[in-house]
Amino acid sequence: MVIKTANFVKSSKQWQDCPEPKIPEYAFIGRSNVGKSSLINAILNRKDLAKTSQTPGKTQLINHFLINETWFLTDLPGYGYAKVSKSLRKDFEKLITNYILNRKNLVNLFVLIDIRHHPQKLDLEFMQWCGKSGIPFSIVFTKIDKLKPNIATEHTNIYKEELLKFWEELPEIFTTSAEKKQGTKEILSYIDKINAIL
Ligand code: GTP
Ligand code: MG
């Protein structure tokens, strides 16, 4: 897929404020600082369209981008950010889960996982919640430039083994680096393929 246009539409505080759900939507989700906004920029080949930061908790609203005038790419706030108060964290979680459960045009969630870490309970639980809620998702490993290739492969395999303890089949898995623009074409072709059958 060639990105002809990529435009910021709006930031929304909750799913009720999001743009009209008239076209297919794909959302990026994952822990704070995992690299959601960076990967969105890399995929769209735009430098600062989605705001990134070294400090976790940068994205606090639901951000919609209109791509090629035909589909939405959505940048969500991160979950599990430890440095905010418990009640604020709960508010964020509610915002995210309500968005996922109520957004009618949501076609697929890309769940981002930092490849440097071993499987974390919070991410695994989140994916199980998606499964139970009937939400289609794919896994996107991020920041592969930070590991040597053999270690990255080892980490991916450990993750797959962990997933197969709960799932009969593995979801679609992508391995990416926003820094090196790796894996971005694969994600776009996947979206293209789904858009074509919708
Ligand atoms: P929140 O909005 O806070 O939830 O974070 P986010 O998931 O959107 O992360 P963001 O894209 O802001 O990136 C967080 C930090 O990780 C930034 O300092 C990025 O430069 C860095 N980063 C993101 N992707 C990559 C990558 O592929 N490789 C490397 N080396 N660094 C990355
Ligand atoms: Mg962000």
Side-chain angles (χ1 to χ4, degrees), residues 31-38 52-59 78 143 145-146 177-179:
R31 279 169 178 265
S32 209
N33 214 239
V34 69
K36 300 174 289 295
S37 304
S38 302
T52 65
S53 164
Q54 289 178 351
T55 326
K58 173 70 183 173
T59 311
K143 309 191 185 183
D145 57 283
K146 295 221 181 204
S177 162
E179 190 86 14

